[in-house]
Amino acid sequence: MSELNNIALKILENGKGILAADESTATMTKRLNSVNVPSTPENRLSFRETLFSSSSMNECIGGVILYDETIRQTSSKKNTIPELISNTGSFPGIKVDTGAKVLAGSPEEKVTEGLDGLRDRLKEYHKLGAKFTKWRGVYNISKNYPSKLSIHSNAHALARYSSLVQECNMVPIVEPEVLMEGYHSAKECLKITSEVIKKCFEELIIQKVDLKGIILKPNMILAGDKSKEKISNEEVAKLTLECLKTSVPSDVPGIAFLSGGQSEVEATENLNLINKHNNTNFIMSYSYGRALQQSALKHWSKDIHNIEGTQKIFNHRAEMNTLAAQGKWSKDLEI
Ligand code: 5MM
């Protein structure tokens, strides 16, 4: 088990974070269409390979979460994508859930599926080079939601998934995402997120998951995107730390936040303040999708052959977030 603890710590060492490049084909198609690039397997690979061969991979990106299509693809230099990532010193990981589906008994909510046949899929991913995995449960805040049923069902699935992943010698990333969409206040986000995380750990313990061999991927505590309330970045950091301090067992080695729709700089600034005030023993880093890729994708779409230009933009974001993961970022470093 100390092997899993070592992998988790290595992924997040020295301010390193995780690049979430595990968009399903449907999501990646939306992202590519938004910048007028056709979503073909070649284009999806071309953008991702551009990121995975950037120089910041070495110093900043401890792990990359892949999607099933990508883990099976071959780079332009003829090595597999997991090899390309491992050669930079980073760890390849894989999203193993099969998506959030309507929750029976509470049809306005979702439960994440993918447990059937998971043990065999994990063995295959492990052979393909994966060292860690990801599963994401999603929760909406509104008047009557999330329901106890959704909190319980998603926690149960996250725990069963984690147990199978550790059995197969990989580190599970546990991602309970309380969505930013909605009218809720930051205080409500704090209350719900704390409840959701506590329930996850209750279930993880029942399923005998070794907490030293996981990484938690939570949302930060924010007011809903449609709420009138505006809270400061300092307040986001304070509430986020309060939430994690009271709901995460101390055995957990590391926390890697999702960006959840925050702008690139906002996600960096909040992470920086969290680390400046970090009064816990947890490593606090990032596992960003949109907040690492947005500007790079925009630039790449203008000329997909301008690899260097795209890498420069990606490197900058990765470097800024790695500084933030050590509380060393400041606004004047942004270009
Ligand atoms: C990269 O996006 C992932 C979602 O893909 P699908 O919705 O297509 O399954 C997502 O799970 C991601 O890993 C996290 O939500 C973090 O991404 P953001 O953009 O919130 O940092």
Side-chain angles (χ1 to χ4, degrees), residues 24 29 64 84 92 138 159 178 188 208 229 232 286 313:
S24 56
T29 298
V64 179
L84 170 69
V138 283
V178 177
E188 279 169 284
K208 302 198 185 323
E229 185 191 30
S232 66
Y286 58 94
I313 291 173

Side-chain angles (χ1 to χ4, degrees), residues 52-240:
F52 305 162
S53 25
S54 300
S55 58
S56 57
M57 286 289 296
N58 199 266
E59 296 290 317
C60 303
I61 305 295
V64 179
I65 316 173
L66 300 169
Y67 180 58
D68 182 78
E69 175 183 74
T70 327
I71 200 169
R72 302 172 192 283
Q73 285 174 317
T74 303
S75 78
S76 54
K77 305 240 160 50
K78 303 284 173 252
N79 47 11
T80 68
I81 294 301
E83 277 164 6
L84 170 69
I85 292 167
S86 302
N87 290 343
T88 68
S90 181
F91 288 97
I94 179 81
K95 185 229 297 284
V96 302
D97 66 64
T98 55
K101 307 283 159 58
V102 173
L103 173 61
S106 185
E108 292 196 30
E109 299 184 282
K110 300 228 164 115
V111 64
T112 303
E113 294 189 350
L115 290 171
D116 286 352
L118 181 58
R119 181 180 269 132
D120 290 336
R121 288 196 291 124
L122 291 173
K123 283 184 192 148
E124 193 198 358
Y125 287 138
H126 192 248
K127 267 199 198 135
L128 289 168
K131 299 283 185 246
F132 72 99
T133 64
K134 193 202 89 173
W135 180 293
R136 169 172 168 255
V138 283
Y139 312 81
N140 255 303
I141 304 183
S142 62
K143 197 160 167 259
N144 301 313
Y145 300 117
S147 65
K148 295 274 173 239
L149 179 60
S150 129
I151 295 176
H152 183 94
S153 309
N154 277 299
H156 179 76
L158 275 161
R160 286 202 51 211
Y161 138 83
S162 300
S163 177
L164 285 161
V165 170
Q166 289 193 338
E167 180 192 88
C168 199
N169 277 318
M170 293 184 282
V171 171
I173 293 190
V174 175
E175 181 180 5
E177 177 174 8
V178 177
L179 297 168
M180 199 208 309
E181 283 82 54
Y183 295 89
H184 53 273
S185 65
K187 278 263 153 62
E188 279 169 284
C189 179
L190 171 66
K191 184 176 157 271
I192 301 291
T193 305
S194 306
E195 190 182 344
V196 160
I197 293 178
K198 281 182 188 156
K199 188 73 194 170
C200 283
F201 282 106
E202 229 179 273
E203 292 288 324
L204 286 163
I205 290 165
I206 292 174
Q207 298 291 330
K208 302 198 185 323
V209 173
D210 187 326
L211 301 185
K212 293 196 171 93
I214 74 158
I215 292 173
L216 178 70
K217 177 166 173 169
N219 50 284
M220 294 178 190
I221 304 300
L222 304 163
D225 61 350
K226 296 192 197 74
S227 141
K228 290 206 180 81
E229 185 191 30
K230 290 280 160 277
I231 66 164
S232 66
N233 301 99
E234 285 282 349
E235 192 70 5
V236 170
K238 194 181 137 234
L239 295 176
T240 303

Side-chain angles (χ1 to χ4, degrees), residues 19-28 30-31 48 65 67 95 97-100 134-136 138 175 177 179 217 257-262 267 287-294:
L19 166 61
D22 60 312
E23 299 87 353
S24 56
T25 301
T27 303
M28 197 57 187
K30 264 193 234 153
R31 304 261 193 273
R48 286 165 166 161
I65 316 173
Y67 180 58
K95 185 229 297 284
D97 66 64
T98 55
K134 193 202 89 173
W135 180 293
R136 169 172 168 255
V138 283
E175 181 180 5
E177 177 174 8
L179 297 168
K217 177 166 173 169
F257 293 99
L258 59 94
S259 58
Q262 299 178 70
S287 174
Y288 292 165
R290 286 162 287 180
L292 272 173
Q293 300 184 55
Q294 243 156 32

